[in-house]
Amino acid sequence: MKLATLKDGTRDGQLLVVSRDLRHAAIADAIAPTMQRVLDDWNFHAPQLQALYEALNQARARQAFDFDAQACMAPLPRAYQWADGSAYVNHVELVRKARGAEMPAEFWTDPLIYQGGSDDFIGPLDDIVCASEDFGIDFEAEVAVIATDVPMGTRADAALGAVRLVMLANDVSLRNLIPGELAKGFGFYQSKPATAFSPVAVTPDELGETWREGRVHRPMTVHWNGKRVGQPDCGTDMVFHFGQLLAHIAKTRNVRAGTIVGSGTISNTDRAKGYACIAEKRMLETLEDGAPGTEFMRFGDRVRIEMFDANGKSIFGAIDQAVAPVEGAA
């Protein structure tokens, strides 16, 4: 099934069930008011939501209406935890090569993960608001999952069974702020503003053969200012699957229902697949030409991130965002 959250003036929005073709929706408040409520008691709520989903697809749902991604918040508007990985080690290797650093061998066996801000996600069509273009505004196209409870010490194969929903993410980075923050030895903070997610989150079974081995095996299509700049395959070169990422964060603590885990920037070794973040393009330019030639995003720029099924139909809806200055800023 496919779920979304409608903007209604509250922090957590109103739960929606969305038809498979993303054309219609129905408010699910008779079943559960919010996405978090569903995740807290998935086994109770999911069958009821599935029944509504089937009715919606068969045009039998009462009070169905046209689905509008513009009216959506992130599927889970705020979460107990947002942990973003870097499962595409090719991306990490390029970062290090571009600055002349060696790649530690353990990066291929031990995932990189940081804990991001989870209190203020933004909707799929909301602006990327930034105080200055000088911060180095960059998009990052990712796959993300929402999990239920994962007890401390859970192994990767069992942790994979905790995945309840899959969605897309634009994990925006402010690249020019990152070096100063990392130099302090305490990780990202100001350099990672609000993350946007796709209009809908889908259950793994909805993806069919596209979801296997803890990975989504479809290309991610990325457009920047109307030009397609990347179409990397999300299942290729993903060294750590989502079960491994969940097991990693559950090594020393319990992971609770409503935790979101990101894959990190999609990155393929095949350069013909393009790029899913500007930084990777700049790294390749540095390696080939000695210096980057592509600038980061400017106010007014737009990024579109979307995934299509084998029949060319959008699976999650599109993340489609413009970059805008902080209102009232000089």
Side-chain angles (χ1 to χ4, degrees), residues 32-326:
T34 66
M35 183 74 80
Q36 184 60 49
R37 181 70 66 84
V38 175
L39 294 162
D40 285 337
D41 198 354
W42 181 267
N43 291 338
F44 177 73
H45 293 300
Q48 300 172 68
L49 292 170
Q50 181 67 34
L52 178 55
Y53 179 63
E54 292 170 2
L56 195 61
N57 288 326
Q58 296 167 14
R60 294 187 293 103
R62 296 179 180 179
Q63 298 180 327
F65 54 88
D66 292 342
F67 178 64
D68 179 11
Q70 184 73 56
C72 286
M73 306 172 78
L76 186 58
R78 52 178 177 166
Y80 286 110
Q81 181 172 202
W82 159 231
D84 196 25
S86 193
Y88 298 87
V89 182
N90 174 66
H91 177 75
V92 182
E93 189 171 38
L94 284 174
V95 171
R96 298 184 71 86
K97 278 185 178 179
R99 68 171 190 259
E102 290 294 322
M103 178 79 162
E106 62 266 25
F107 279 22
W108 293 98
T109 57
D110 191 31
L112 291 173
I113 293 182
Y114 79 92
Q115 193 166 39
S118 61
D119 58 330
D120 186 33
F121 296 138
I122 55 177
L125 276 64
D126 292 345
D127 288 345
I128 300 168
V129 177
C130 192
S132 173
E133 293 177 336
D134 295 336
F135 290 168
I137 308 163
D138 196 359
F139 53 82
E140 290 191 53
E142 304 187 12
V143 176
V145 300
I146 308 177
T148 188
D149 294 325
V150 181
M152 182 171 60
T154 299
R155 297 175 64 88
D157 54 350
L160 186 57
V163 172
R164 292 292 177 263
L165 295 162
V166 184
M167 54 189 177
L168 308 183
N170 181 17
D171 183 45
V172 177
S173 287
L174 304 179
R175 298 294 183 184
N176 294 339
L177 300 185
I178 290 177
E181 288 203 297
L182 294 186
K184 296 178 181 179
F186 222 53
F188 304 118
Y189 198 89
Q190 293 178 338
S191 53
K192 301 300 293 187
T195 303
F197 293 93
S198 52
V200 302
V202 311
T203 49
D205 65 286
E206 190 72 24
L207 297 172
E209 282 299 306
T210 292
W211 174 258
R212 61 183 187 275
E213 300 171 338
R215 301 170 176 86
V216 176
H217 292 264
R218 289 299 302 168
M220 181 83 81
T221 302
V222 183
H223 286 85
W224 179 15
N225 291 333
K227 176 184 178 182
R228 192 178 75 187
V229 296
Q231 201 167 33
D233 187 87
C234 299
T236 304
D237 302 315
M238 187 179 182
V239 176
F240 304 104
H241 63 66
F242 280 108
Q244 291 171 301
L245 296 178
L246 280 164
H248 182 85
I249 65 175
K251 181 176 181 177
T252 59
R253 54 175 136 167
N254 294 316
V255 174
R256 293 308 186 191
T259 290
I260 303 175
V261 177
S263 65
T265 305
I266 312 301
S267 178
N268 289 170
T269 56
D270 182 357
R271 302 289 179 255
K273 299 294 185 181
Y275 55 92
C277 73
I278 301 169
E280 186 158 312
K281 171 67 170 174
R282 287 167 58 88
M283 293 171 216
L284 291 170
E285 291 169 344
T286 298
L287 292 171
E288 294 170 3
D289 306 322
T294 301
E295 294 186 350
F296 291 116
M297 300 180 83
R298 300 291 185 184
F299 294 143
D301 278 12
R302 181 172 290 278
V303 60
R304 185 180 179 93
I305 298 167
E306 196 164 11
M307 184 181 290
F308 301 91
D309 65 18
N311 296 315
K313 303 295 185 181
S314 183
I315 300 173
F316 305 91
I319 298 172
D320 193 344
Q321 298 179 277
V323 180
V326 176

